[in-house]
Amino acid sequence: MSVMLEVEGLSVNYGPIEALRDVSFAVEEGHICTLIGANGAGKSTTLKTISGLRKVREGKIVFEGKDITGSTPVDRVLMGISQSPEGRGIFPGMTVRENLDMGAYTRKDTKTPAYQQDLDRVLALFPRLEERIDQFAGTMSGGEQQMLAIGRALMARPRLVLLDEPSMGLAPKLIQQIFSIIREINEQGTTVLLVEQNANQALKAAQQAYCLTTGEITAAGTGAELAADPAIRDAYLGGGL
Amino acid sequence: MKSLSALLPRNVGRRGKIIWIVVGVLFAYSLPLLELPLISTPDVDFAGVLFTMAIYVLVALGLNVVVGYAGLLDLGYVGFYAIGAYSVAMLTAEHGSLGWFAALPVAVAVAMVSGVLLGGPTLRVRGDYLAIVTLGFGEIIRLMAVNSDWLGAAAGVTKIPAPPNIGSDSAGIFAIPHLNWDAGYPLIDLSNKTEFLKFGVLDATPYYWLALTFVILILIADVRVKDSRVGRAWEALREDEDAAELMGVPTFRYKLLAFALGAFVGGLAGALFATRQGFVNPQSFQLLLSMLFVAAVVVGGQGNRWGVIVGAMLVVYIPERFRGFADFRVLLFGLALMLLATWRPQGLLPPLRTIKARAMREKLADLESGDDPEASNA
């Protein structure tokens, strides 16, 4: 196993407010790695910084041995980093198919067999999307929109996929389903960096886990180690119940 | 040309469609000659009104790229219109003696560059802030014109030459008579002829033909661009800028492109306006004009090229058609805008997909009313 993504001493500001302070972690190739933490801990900021939407104040990001701290979001997509944004980050006025096409925007190979193969793969993971392929994305339920956001991220054929709160606002049964799909995506060979408030599920799925508290990494280990940590249990897993 | 055919009667083949398009285009060109009753404006020169309509259609098509496609609210579009007009004035009359054909591309290029210069620093701000910055831009351009002697100051620039005539300068190649409907049926009016092709002061018809030709060219370009990767990138960044960026759309570059193309068309419209009028002065480029341009786009249905064309035509046509109502016409125009905002907030002809998406959403809401949408998913 080699390190695929390495974040070193990352600090990010929103104006004068420090959102991330000296955050360092690494994602091993082939793993599911999760960042857990409370609301406002800086989890989403971390993902947005990795995909290039936020500027780095200090520190660096290394992807497969290359320093990408200054790269544009487009370059990072081309290198193989793809993100499914938080909440309803889909294009509501486009159909499901058009959303998926946008996911493959950098590839320029629509209408080729390779593209069709990837589309088939996504639709096999999310049969729901196939049923709704010509429906406008904004008219779908929250769970379907989430599936679309993940599927769209996969259409870029990423080596590393960043998932921002895929279980947010979903019913418990649907959360189970989303997590089993995340495992499947990982087994198909895509490394996953998963940001979650639902620490219980996330730690179960992840080989690597980090806990982020108000912009700093406060715990690291395997998913099982963090799940057994009493402090984590108390804070994020409803410990004591 | 998918959207074009949506306008045409159904169940006509490809050939039928082409025939319909040709008939429509010929009709548009012959409008000033037909002098149709009811449609023509009784109190003002109809060809002049048609020319202004064509100019506004150009403006609306350009602004639609910025507002409708890329979703950037530009309240200072008159600035580009003014730059196009003043560039022609500077090059042909005030500081140069370039011919019209040489001046037009330069004027359009200047407008386009000014779009890039304005967009470069300002397109990094979003939403309302962009609207304020562009609002300021429109005023700055006008105030520059007022205060700079080099630009003719408040008096403006006169003696802008007309485009070169085709055929003899006195009568063109041939003359086409207009129709006269005074008797209740059409008669050929030999006392009222348009010379082909003489750009004179009295007859606005050749100017209308010139502007209409540009409208058609821009329309074809619009269809091509909208159906390309560029069009899809604009749609994505309008819907969700961050998500578009994550898909690998360089959003800033595409916003700048929308701005530049919009400025290009705005500059072209301004240049044609200056050519027809023969002079420019700062009063022609009031802030109100920007509002009227945005109104044309919003009234028609932003994002739909046919909608904004209709919007632009109405914005010019209604006040001219009802000139008989004197000062009340502006009041009526305002009332019409208010009614429209209340009853058709999406505009008269919103993009087809907006209508479809809404219908679908309503259908779904009906189906799911009462129960939790997530529950039906599990």
Side-chain angles (χ1 to χ4, degrees):
Chain A
M1 284 294 165
S2 62
V3 172
M4 179 176 252
L5 178 82
E6 207 174 354
V7 172
E8 280 176 42
L10 195 66
S11 296
V12 175
N13 276 38
Y14 286 113
I17 301 157
E18 208 167 36
L20 294 180
R21 192 166 41 248
D22 196 20
V23 167
S24 298
F25 65 92
V27 180
E28 297 276 338
E29 187 171 352
H31 276 180
I32 296 180
C33 174
T34 186
L35 275 178
I36 59 166
N39 227 343
K43 305 187 301 291
S44 286
T45 305
T46 309
L47 284 200
K48 282 179 183 163
T49 311
I50 294 171
S51 53
L53 290 186
R54 296 283 170 269
K55 281 217 174 68
V56 174
R57 184 169 61 86
E58 242 175 83
K60 64 176 184 176
I61 304 169
V62 179
F63 180 68
E64 297 193 316
K66 265 176 285 186
D67 187 340
I68 59 164
T69 317
S71 305
T72 62
V74 184
D75 286 338
R76 300 186 202 203
V77 175
L78 287 169
M79 280 179 211
I81 302 177
S82 180
Q83 185 183 339
S84 149
E86 138 190 65
R88 303 189 164 194
I90 45 124
F91 303 114
M94 294 189 190
T95 65
V96 170
R97 187 190 298 276
E98 287 164 341
N99 264 277
L100 293 174
D101 280 351
M102 278 314 296
Y105 190 79
T106 51
R107 290 176 46 179
K108 301 174 185 169
D109 65 348
T110 39
K111 291 171 190 162
T112 64
Y115 172 82
Q116 188 58 41
Q117 209 179 328
D118 286 354
L119 185 64
D120 290 342
R121 173 191 168 209
V122 167
L123 294 180
L125 281 169
F126 303 103
R128 197 83 199 171
L129 295 183
E130 183 152 32
E131 288 167 33
R132 312 228 151 178
I133 194 87
D134 289 318
Q135 186 165 329
F136 286 97
T139 67
M140 301 199 302
S141 72
E144 288 162 346
Q145 293 191 9
Q146 188 57 61
M147 293 177 187
L148 179 57
I150 300 174
R152 189 183 58 181
L154 294 178
M155 287 304 289
R157 207 184 259 182
R159 315 239 313 113
L160 170 69
V161 65
L162 314 174
L163 303 179
D164 198 348
E165 305 256 11
S167 76
M168 191 161 67
L170 301 187
K173 236 176 157 175
L174 202 58
I175 293 179
Q176 293 273 356
Q177 201 184 329
I178 292 272
F179 271 96
S180 74
I181 293 170
I182 292 171
R183 284 199 187 88
E184 206 175 324
I185 292 168
N186 179 240
E187 278 156 19
Q188 288 175 2
T190 311
T191 308
V192 177
L193 176 55
L194 172 68
V195 148
E196 261 301 339
Q197 272 193 68
N198 189 332
N200 205 354
Q201 288 284 345
L203 292 178
K204 260 193 237 166
Q207 289 96 337
Q208 286 178 270
Y210 296 89
C211 179
L212 203 56
T213 314
T214 53
E216 286 176 284
I217 299 273
T218 50
T222 65
E225 278 166 12
L226 255 67
D229 184 325
I232 303 267
R233 290 180 73 88
D234 277 353
Y236 305 105
L237 298 174
L241 286 176
Chain B
M1 302 294 273
K2 221 185 298 161
S3 42
L4 196 84
S5 49
L7 265 191
L8 302 170
R10 277 177 203 168
N11 303 325
V12 291
R14 199 186 147 72
R15 255 179 83 188
K17 274 176 198 161
I18 292 170
I19 292 170
W20 273 102
I21 291 170
V22 170
V23 168
V25 167
L26 285 178
F27 178 71
Y29 273 102
S30 60
L31 263 176
L33 305 175
L34 297 176
E35 308 262 3
L36 295 172
L38 292 177
I39 293 179
S40 293
T41 44
D43 307 301
V44 275
D45 172 36
F46 188 47
V49 173
L50 282 172
F51 171 77
T52 311
M53 276 162 77
I55 293 298
Y56 273 59
V57 166
L58 271 181
V59 164
L61 283 171
L63 189 55
N64 184 44
V65 171
V66 181
V67 177
Y69 294 168
L72 307 164
L73 185 51
D74 183 349
L75 295 182
Y77 199 63
V78 73
F80 302 122
Y81 186 69
I83 288 171
Y86 266 90
S87 299
V88 163
M90 292 300 120
L91 291 165
T92 59
E94 185 82 354
H95 297 294
S97 51
L98 277 183
W100 184 80
F101 273 115
L104 186 73
V106 179
V108 166
V110 169
M112 200 164 168
V113 169
S114 70
V116 174
L117 290 181
L118 172 67
T122 59
L123 282 174
R124 294 175 202 279
V125 302
R126 291 186 184 185
D128 305 348
Y129 299 102
L130 180 67
I132 294 168
V133 172
T134 52
L135 191 71
F137 167 76
E139 269 302 85
I140 287 169
I141 296 294
R142 187 181 66 85
L143 290 172
M144 264 172 63
V146 172
N147 290 304
S148 156
D149 286 331
W150 194 79
L151 293 171
V157 178
T158 54
K159 297 197 181 110
I160 299 171
N165 300 327
I166 298 174
S168 94
D169 276 356
S170 57
I173 300 174
F174 53 84
I176 313 164
H178 290 219
L179 294 183
N180 185 325
W181 296 75
D182 284 349
Y185 46 86
L187 289 172
I188 291 173
D189 186 353
L190 290 173
S191 65
N192 184 4
K193 289 181 183 172
T194 290
E195 279 134 6
F196 187 91
L197 194 62
K198 186 185 149 208
F199 292 95
V201 184
L202 293 176
D203 193 353
T205 307
Y207 288 97
Y208 165 66
W209 286 338
L210 180 69
L212 182 60
T213 307
F214 278 112
V215 166
I216 291 170
L217 292 177
I218 295 294
L219 201 50
I220 292 169
D222 183 274
V223 172
R224 302 290 306 247
V225 172
K226 181 75 203 302
D227 279 348
S228 70
R229 279 172 66 78
V230 176
R232 269 181 294 142
W234 282 336
E235 192 176 356
L237 78 89
R238 185 188 66 223
E239 295 238 318
D240 189 328
E241 204 175 321
D242 275 350
E245 192 79 48
L246 288 176
M247 298 303 109
V249 175
T251 53
F252 178 73
R253 283 225 297 263
Y254 278 109
K255 287 199 282 187
L256 202 56
L257 180 66
F259 237 59
L261 292 180
F264 174 97
V265 181
L268 174 65
L272 292 174
F273 164 79
T275 307
R276 160 71 184 134
Q277 204 175 228
F279 65 91
V280 288
N281 59 22
Q283 282 90 57
S284 312
F285 307 103
Q286 302 279 355
L287 188 63
L288 186 68
L289 212 53
S290 273
M291 303 302 142
L292 207 58
F293 292 162
V294 173
V297 170
V298 174
V299 161
Q302 46 180 308
N304 180 357
R305 62 180 76 89
W306 307 108
V308 303
I309 289 174
V310 171
M313 285 161 62
L314 288 181
V315 160
V316 178
Y317 181 74
I318 292 177
E320 295 298 348
R321 179 70 183 81
F322 300 106
R323 243 178 209 278
F325 291 92
D327 288 347
F328 285 109
R329 72 201 176 101
V330 184
L331 181 70
L332 288 175
F333 180 63
L335 272 176
L337 282 186
M338 277 172 63
L339 283 177
L340 199 86
T342 313
W343 299 110
R344 297 281 309 223
Q346 301 269 3
L348 288 171
L349 285 175
L352 206 58
R353 38 197 295 135
T354 318
I355 307 172
K356 267 198 226 153
R358 175 186 283 189
M360 218 176 241
R361 198 151 39 227
E362 277 164 10
K363 206 173 91 190
L364 221 78
D366 286 346
L367 278 176
E368 289 177 350
S369 59
D371 54 31
D372 176 13
E374 301 303 343
S376 59
N377 248 324

